[in-house]
Amino acid sequence: VAGGILLALSGAVIDGIWLALIGWLLGGSARATVARSKLNQKLGGLRVSDVMDAEPVAIPSDTTIDRALDEYFLRYRWPWFPVVDAAERFVGVVKRGAADAVPETSRSSRTVSELLVDADGAPVSHEDELVRLDAPIESLLANLELRRLGGLAAVDADGRLAGVVTVEQVGRALRSAVGGNPFGDDTRST
């Protein structure tokens, strides 16, 4: 930046401004990298399992849409729920809008698992809606699905639902890390 200013003052104004701009951008990028590195150090060994809700409410995949609306969506008023099979393995996420879109006359005969397939009946991948239980918390910082849904299903090595991690829980962990205590007093949602 200083070289660019000196170059501009010596008569090469455009070259000097260009060099100063490049220097300023590189300096900003370096400062951001240092800040991210310090945050990752403060987060230390914090894992998804440290901040998640370990008692998630999940809808069994064989539940009728009618029952899911009554017992889950109307009761808890959440916009989505994880869906699990009989072995408690994560199958996907069912959203309120998808359940509401089913005609009322069909809701008692259709299951939530039918909402997790595409128009041709083929299974849809729900990999972006989950995170491994042992994943480092910093892996969630750039997760677009976490931002879109507001939370992700946390699964163990066998794919069984172990919890739900939300944007609020990740934010609380980050605030605690910046404050010096990465585990905080209470990192679970109620």
Side-chain angles (χ1 to χ4, degrees), residues 120-176:
D120 298 326
V124 175
S125 172
H126 293 277
E127 289 294 314
D128 54 343
E129 298 169 342
L130 64 87
V131 64
R132 288 281 306 262
L133 190 60
D134 57 354
I137 200 74
E138 59 264 15
S139 69
L140 297 176
L141 298 181
N143 189 304
L144 297 176
E145 198 64 18
L146 175 63
R147 291 180 190 170
R148 189 178 71 76
L149 277 178
L152 295 173
V155 299
D156 65 12
D158 297 323
R160 285 189 297 271
L161 183 66
V164 171
V165 62
T166 65
V167 170
E168 292 82 15
Q169 291 163 326
V170 172
R172 209 173 13 249
L174 290 173
R175 284 189 299 278
S176 294

Side-chain angles (χ1 to χ4, degrees), residues 13-36:
V13 176
I14 294 181
D15 290 339
I17 291 174
W18 184 247
L19 186 59
L21 180 62
I22 290 173
W24 180 72
L25 290 174
L26 287 174
S29 178
R31 282 187 294 279
T33 301
V34 167
R36 174 127 183 162

